[in-house]
């Protein structure tokens, strides 16, 4: 995972649960509600939740 630095890297299970990630994802997840990042964190929920990444997706409401 660290060999991917400075690129973000996530390891997901088949249910899109976040199994592992590198430190570069900290910038991506900055500002997300901490409860969304607590295990078992789910990448889809984190992406689509109003307290997650959804407000940063320009075409989300289209």
């Amino acid at each position: 995972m660290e060999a991917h630095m400075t690129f973000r890297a996530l390891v997901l299970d088949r249910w899109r649960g976040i199994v592992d990630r590198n430190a570069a994802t900290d910038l991506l997840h900055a500002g997300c509600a901490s409860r969304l990042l607590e295990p078992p964190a789910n990448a889809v929920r984190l992406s689509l939740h109003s307290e997650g990444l959804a407000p940063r997706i320009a075409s989300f409401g289209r």
Side-chain angles (χ1 to χ4, degrees):
M1 295 294 289
E2 296 310 314
H4 257 327
M5 291 298 285
T6 64
F7 301 103
R8 293 175 293 277
L10 292 170
V11 176
L12 306 177
D13 62 20
R14 65 175 137 186
W15 298 282
R16 308 307 183 262
I18 300 173
V19 176
D20 197 8
R21 63 187 183 95
N22 67 7
T25 61
D26 292 343
L27 292 174
L28 177 67
H29 297 146
C32 293
S34 61
R35 63 186 174 82
L36 294 174
L37 297 168
E38 293 173 4
N42 183 279
V44 175
R45 182 172 184 234
L46 181 62
S47 298
L48 301 178
H49 198 281
S50 61
E51 294 178 7
L53 299 172
R56 300 183 216 168
I57 301 172
S59 61
F60 186 76
R62 294 181 185 178

